[in-house]
Amino acid sequence: MSNRTLIVLVAIAAALFAFIYFYDRDRMTTSELEGRKDRVFVEFKPELVEALEIQGAAGEKISLVRSADVEGTSAGAEREWRIEAPRKLKADGSAVREVLSALDFLIKQRVVVGAGERGKPQYGFGTPAVRASFTIGGAKTSFVVGSQKGSGDTVYLAVDGRSDELYAVEVDFRESLDKRLDDLRDKHLVEGSLDDAIAIEVDRGAGKLSLARDDEAGPWRISLEGAEMLAADDQVAALLADVAGLLAQEFVADGADGASLGKYGLDAPTAGVAIRRASGKDVELLVGKPCPGDGRVHAAVKGSGTIACVADGIGEALARPAARFTETRPLVFAQDGIETVKITRGGASLVLERDADAGWKAAGHEGVAIDPDAVAELLGALREPRAKEALPGAEAIAGLGPVTASVELVQEAGRGPLRLDVFAADPKAVAGGGQRARRGGEEGVLVFAADPFASLRAELLAYRERKIVNGLADEAEELEIEGPAAQGLVREGGVWRLEAPFETGADATAARNAARLVAEVEVERYVAERAEEAHGFAKPYAKVTARFAARPGGARDAGPATAGKSATLEIGAGAAPDGSRFARFQGGDGLVFVLKKEKIDAITVPLVARDLIALEAGDLAKVTIHANGGSLTALREGGSWKAEGDAADAAALDRPLGELGSIRTIRGASFGPAVGFEAPVLRLEAWTRKQIEGGAAPTVLLFGSKTADPKEDGYTARREGVDVTVIVPSRLVDEIVALVPAAPSAS
């Protein structure tokens, strides 16, 4: 095959493909046509309709045309409809879609076949109810709907070019197409959105509201008593949306001129809004007298000549008080758009800068990690509180007095810097109120009911990384705890054991939590560069020393821990009534911080194993229960328990006594001699067969009183001979106590 032949074949293939794509793509497939054979308009596709004509019972002929595809419009975007006659107007897209849908789903209820049938009077085509047509691909299809009803709820339809067929269709179709101009025209009084508005003036009759901005992207400002303050963007946007979304419920007049406006109260409107737009397509909306009926008023866009009845809510929207439009947040910004924060307070200043990794650093303090959460809290205090009022004008500014704190924010390129100055609370204000602030250069003052700016601190301590890492809790090998529960623990082969004050197993989870207190401290807040007497380190409340086998590379720390060495946490005096305490690391940089009570609780209890008082239930042969002023002895025979003298049902014994091997503590309580066990709720003596045969003393478990915390729902408990008190769940204790009937009273 020659190259010329190949080129010709390729050209033919391309032409065939183009024909199939551009011509056949809009044609229905055989299966589609089969599925629509009961439709009046079998090959109708709403998206392909180019024009519509409708003439209903009112006699008004309405012509609609669909706009051509616009270059740059996204694929699948719906083209707009416009009315060409009797007047040029924008069409209501949803109303046109309803007409197209009615045509698309029009079903033949019955077909009448026969030449000359169309002329018979019983079909009503002599004075049809609707004349209409649609155009697809340049081909126009016209039809009429008769004025007479057929059998049942049907009317008759005749399509031009199908002279020997008539169709009975549902009567609802006639109603769907019997449209007036006002039914199909766009109901919006204002065309398009008002996103490009740059100035707004609202006339509420009793006064004017003025809003303006420099450009379409700039912040809005409100004029109050001749002074400008920042406006609330969301409220301005809501006002513009109310105006742009205003819909005519009824069109009253078109082509109205100045002389006829008085009839509707629009020559001296009760309210109005003038909107200047960057596009130059300014809009002025006028609101006049009430319309007949409830809840509607006359409205018009000045110069349009169109007067409509709209919902009277537009009057309420325009009557919103100026205070609603005043921005009461201290500053308005996108939190992730801030590059630099400069804080000044009490003669000190601090500059925080966002670094390349979207973290933060403190200028002049290289190597000091900054806590992003602390910076987020600071920025939140600048954008989230709401002032109780805004006071415009020079008089409000003159009474401010000296600045107590200030903050400057540098935003991303293209957005101007922001400044907020905080002043002393107004001494004339009620207690707890009157905190005042002023946005940079603004002609007004914000007044807050309380002080939301306590986080505006200029000390580095307020923003330091709150997690101090000395190692990994899982790499701790030894723990030495001094304080309310002095004890020592060692981990060997990955298993923690208690070595002091006596040797026993340790609770792995509790030991890990204690190690984490030194390895990965979560600081509530920093309070001082160096310890002071009030911090209580002269006589610490507790000390925790952890020795690590290894430490992660690059970990930040406030202590001297290195691989194979140790770190010691000192816990001092109480910092607040909530149980939090001051703390620091020995030999570190001396920073004093505060730890929450729940963190400290990890080292104030014995870290003994949770199965400390569990018995070897499978080896037990005899149990004596002392409770309720009496006792009960049970012997194990085979696999079941039996009470001596049949004092208790065997089935009732098996379950609670079988659970003696699975007793788990809720937590340790204290080391040292028994306290509060003088009259225990339950004394349980247990013997294994070996103990019985050897004449050995039983293992004794003592259960004291219930704990004070009802949520804990536990009892104090001890194993006799082991100097530690623990807390166990109450359920099993209560069940065993219930096995012994209460002794009769002395009376």
Side-chain angles (χ1 to χ4, degrees), residues 365-390:
H365 299 275
E366 299 300 326
V368 176
I370 298 300
D371 183 357
D373 290 339
V375 180
E377 289 173 14
L378 165 68
L379 294 176
L382 295 171
R383 66 195 296 269
E384 294 170 6
R386 295 280 181 172
K388 65 178 183 178
E389 61 180 325

Side-chain angles (χ1 to χ4, degrees), residues 742-747:
S745 62
S747 62

Side-chain angles (χ1 to χ4, degrees), residues 256-322:
D257 56 22
S260 60
L261 293 178
K263 178 180 177 182
Y264 308 104
L266 296 170
D267 56 339
T270 58
V273 55
I275 301 171
R276 185 158 54 87
R277 304 169 66 180
S279 63
K281 297 179 180 179
D282 300 347
V283 172
E284 185 173 354
L285 177 70
L286 308 175
V287 179
K289 294 178 181 178
C291 291
D294 295 330
R296 303 190 307 167
V297 292
H298 290 99
V301 171
K302 190 174 182 179
S304 69
T306 297
I307 298 172
C309 286
V310 301
D312 61 6
I314 186 62
E316 297 174 8
L318 298 181
R320 290 171 187 150

Side-chain angles (χ1 to χ4, degrees), residues 211-378:
L211 300 152
R213 58 180 173 175
D214 294 333
D215 53 54
E216 297 174 58
W220 284 95
R221 302 180 304 277
I222 182 171
S223 179
L224 298 168
E225 301 176 19
E228 282 198 343
M229 294 190 72
L230 189 67
D233 279 355
D234 58 338
Q235 294 299 317
V236 179
L239 173 63
L240 291 172
D242 287 337
V243 176
L246 188 61
L247 299 177
Q249 295 183 352
E250 176 189 355
F251 289 101
V252 176
D254 282 305
D257 56 22
S260 60
L261 293 178
K263 178 180 177 182
Y264 308 104
L266 296 170
D267 56 339
T270 58
V273 55
I275 301 171
R276 185 158 54 87
R277 304 169 66 180
S279 63
K281 297 179 180 179
D282 300 347
V283 172
E284 185 173 354
L285 177 70
L286 308 175
V287 179
K289 294 178 181 178
C291 291
D294 295 330
R296 303 190 307 167
V297 292
H298 290 99
V301 171
K302 190 174 182 179
S304 69
T306 297
I307 298 172
C309 286
V310 301
D312 61 6
I314 186 62
E316 297 174 8
L318 298 181
R320 290 171 187 150
R324 178 84 69 86
F325 292 93
T326 305
E327 180 57 72
T328 56
R329 289 176 293 175
L331 295 175
V332 179
F333 56 88
Q335 191 151 315
D336 57 0
I338 300 302
E339 298 290 340
T340 305
V341 182
K342 181 180 180 181
I343 311 152
T344 304
R345 189 165 205 155
S349 64
L350 179 69
V351 177
L352 301 171
E353 301 171 334
R354 195 185 292 274
D355 66 19
D357 298 322
W360 291 89
K361 62 183 179 181
H365 299 275
E366 299 300 326
V368 176
I370 298 300
D371 183 357
D373 290 339
V375 180
E377 289 173 14
L378 165 68

Side-chain angles (χ1 to χ4, degrees), residues 122-146:
Q122 65 261 36
Y123 301 121
F125 294 128
T127 55
V130 177
R131 298 178 185 272
S133 69
F134 60 84
T135 302
I136 295 178
K140 184 176 181 179
T141 300
S142 300
F143 59 92
V144 292
V145 181

